[in-house]
Amino acid sequence: MSPQIKNIPRRQAIPILYTRGTHYDVGYDVGRTFAALIKNFLQLSGPLNDTYLPLYNTDEGRKVYNATLETVKKSFPQYIRELEGTADGAQVEFHKLFLLHMDDILPVAVEGRNSINQPIGCSTICVNEPDCEILAHTEDALSEVLNHYYFVSAHIVSDSPQGRYNVTEERFTSLCYAGHLPGYTMNYNHHGLVFSINTLSAARLHGGKTPRHFITRALLSAENFVQAQQILRDNGVGAADGCSVNMTFLNQEGDRLFHNAEMGPAERDQSQLNILTVSPGEYSTHANMYLRLPVPEVNGLIIDSSVERMKTFNAFKAPKTLNDVIRMLGDQSAQEHTVFREKDAKDIIKTVCVGIFDCKRRTWSLYSDNPKFNAPLVVMPLVIKD
């Protein structure tokens, strides 16, 4: 492994790809355009190389992998084609990319253990005030993700209805980790759905169910809140693992509403789901632990970190303005687990970027460094259907 790859400092840069075509075409363009970043990331990924690949090479691991792949192929064949396109475009092995999307399902299903005891995850704030309608999010990840992400702005048109929800057209912009499908970080689509994801770590995960990465990829097709709930429930299969989704629809009728949906691994054949609605005059915060859904969770640093970040948020007065939100997301006052994470160059977890969706101005600001001390790297308009 090249030390030059591993030790590259934080860059003030984010590439964006505009692409149109079939699911395979869009995946291929992503892979071809970002091949160097994807190959570097596959080299650097500790979980992939130290845990997922060794388990994939066991009989039990391959069984869980194949069962999960078959499930996704039945529900969302178009997203498998998209990922195959990325693998072909980047000239990397498909199974490595699919293992990234399975995340911790393999070690939990095969060995009953959480493979990454690190304070992973993100923090999100939704503010619903008359002059401030904001969804803001820190993207926190293992340090190897730093500088290994990009924007994909895609328009996918299909000749025939695709997957279990019969989708014929998708148009969205998504922040993507290298080699990952769109949908699992910060995103918006042309129907006006804006959403961000907090990883949640349930103690029991399921092989043969739908990995959260594919459920959130499907969310990019949602036209309204009813469809979004249907996608999260994944009726007939259910989620293999869990996450929290913070969302709003820009062109909904009536008052602005934000929603926080906690999704838990399937019970029988649908995801567990609990939804909190943030009405005008209210706000919400979320990190990486279940606040409402009674799902047994892993022990360790992800919970410790979430508790400390939520404690930091609760020490602030209720946020009413953009500056209030920036102060909260840029805070580094905590003893150990700060909200903006980069106290030390050796930190295993870093805030790789910060995103702020302004629903009134219809903009998405992306900060590649602490927003308390830096201007956004880019401010993009949110372009939606009339």
Side-chain angles (χ1 to χ4, degrees):
M1 186 190 300
S2 163
Q4 283 79 15
I5 294 171
K6 187 153 192 177
N7 296 325
I8 185 168
R10 182 185 291 272
R11 307 299 305 158
Q12 302 300 318
I14 178 168
I16 184 166
L17 170 69
Y18 295 94
T19 171
R20 180 171 57 211
T22 65
H23 284 276
Y24 181 87
D25 292 338
V26 164
Y28 186 89
D29 289 337
V30 169
R32 176 174 167 268
T33 304
F34 300 119
L37 284 177
I38 292 168
K39 285 174 178 168
N40 285 359
F41 184 69
L42 291 179
Q43 266 190 288
L44 293 173
S45 174
L48 175 68
N49 294 301
D50 300 339
T51 303
Y52 306 157
L53 281 171
L55 284 172
Y56 170 80
N57 289 319
T58 66
D59 291 342
E60 186 60 28
R62 192 67 62 90
K63 199 188 298 179
V64 171
Y65 173 95
N66 287 336
T68 306
L69 179 58
E70 285 311 306
T71 295
V72 179
K73 274 184 176 171
K74 279 181 195 159
S75 295
F76 303 117
Q78 73 273 35
Y79 302 142
I80 293 298
R81 287 197 299 279
E82 199 174 308
L83 198 59
E84 287 171 344
T86 301
D88 291 348
Q91 300 183 326
V92 299
E93 298 97 326
F94 170 83
H95 72 272
K96 290 184 178 178
L97 299 187
F98 192 76
L99 285 169
L100 291 176
H101 289 74
M102 285 182 69
D103 216 334
D104 237 24
I105 295 167
L106 215 52
V108 173
V110 176
E111 299 181 333
R113 70 184 179 91
N114 169 247
S115 72
I116 312 170
N117 182 21
Q118 297 297 346
I120 56 172
C122 311
S123 308
T124 304
I125 303 171
C126 296
V127 177
N128 198 353
E129 291 291 329
D131 299 320
C132 181
E133 298 173 355
I134 278 176
L135 189 158
H137 182 82
T138 65
E139 194 57 51
D140 303 342
L142 291 168
S143 58
E144 57 254 36
V145 175
L146 191 68
N147 308 314
H148 290 87
Y149 60 88
Y150 40 77
F151 280 121
V152 172
S153 188
H155 186 193
I156 301 172
V157 182
S158 305
D159 294 335
S160 58
Q162 298 291 304
R164 65 185 307 187
Y165 303 118
N166 298 312
V167 180
T168 54
E169 182 186 24
E170 291 186 77
R171 196 165 197 163
F172 57 79
T173 299
S174 176
L175 184 79
C176 305
Y177 293 171
H180 290 69
L181 288 172
Y184 198 69
T185 60
M186 300 178 249
N187 328 261
Y188 83 95
N189 73 11
H190 68 158
H191 303 296
L193 169 61
V194 169
F195 69 98
S196 73
I197 306 297
N198 312 112
T199 292
L200 301 176
S201 290
R204 290 183 64 245
L205 309 181
H206 309 298
K209 298 288 187 183
T210 312
R212 57 195 174 202
H213 282 70
F214 288 93
I215 289 177
T216 60
R217 172 65 188 84
L219 258 188
L220 285 169
S221 69
E223 295 184 27
N224 52 54
F225 187 47
V226 172
Q227 279 188 13
Q229 291 176 79
Q230 179 188 32
I231 289 165
L232 291 172
R233 285 202 186 279
D234 199 40
N235 212 4
V237 183
D241 41 8
C243 66
S244 147
V245 183
N246 313 277
M247 59 182 148
T248 190
F249 280 86
L250 293 176
N251 47 5
Q252 67 197 25
E253 290 182 11
D255 291 334
R256 163 74 48 222
L257 297 173
F258 292 94
H259 308 281
N260 173 261
E262 290 185 347
M263 183 183 76
E267 284 187 336
R268 297 189 178 87
D269 62 355
Q270 69 172 22
S271 314
Q272 302 174 68
L273 199 61
N274 179 292
I275 297 176
L276 170 78
T277 295
V278 182
S279 299
E282 298 178 340
Y283 78 100
S284 71
T285 56
H286 212 288
N288 306 102
M289 59 189 288
Y290 286 99
L291 300 178
R292 304 178 305 277
L293 206 57
V295 172
E297 297 180 84
V298 301
N299 297 314
L301 291 172
I302 186 170
I303 303 300
D304 297 345
S305 165
S306 296
V307 168
E308 193 164 5
R309 281 178 281 139
M310 292 298 282
K311 191 175 168 187
T312 298
F313 283 156
N314 291 334
F316 282 89
K317 288 180 181 171
K320 305 280 187 188
T321 67
L322 172 62
N323 283 338
D324 291 344
V325 171
I326 285 173
R327 277 195 293 272
M328 290 169 76
L329 289 185
D331 190 271
Q332 293 184 295
S333 64
Q335 190 92 27
E336 187 172 3
H337 302 295
T338 58
V339 177
F340 188 91
R341 301 202 247 180
E342 193 175 48
K343 278 198 159 185
D344 191 305
K346 295 175 187 166
D347 282 351
I348 292 171
I349 302 296
K350 292 185 189 295
T351 297
V352 298
C353 61
V354 173
I356 297 178
F357 293 95
D358 188 322
C359 300
K360 291 187 83 70
R361 292 180 177 82
R362 299 205 168 180
T363 58
W364 179 3
S365 301
L366 199 285
Y367 298 78
S368 53
D369 215 325
N370 192 324
K372 273 178 73 172
F373 312 112
N374 298 275
L377 184 64
V378 61
V379 179
M380 294 189 293
L382 300 175
V383 181
I384 60 175
K385 278 184 171 179
D386 293 334

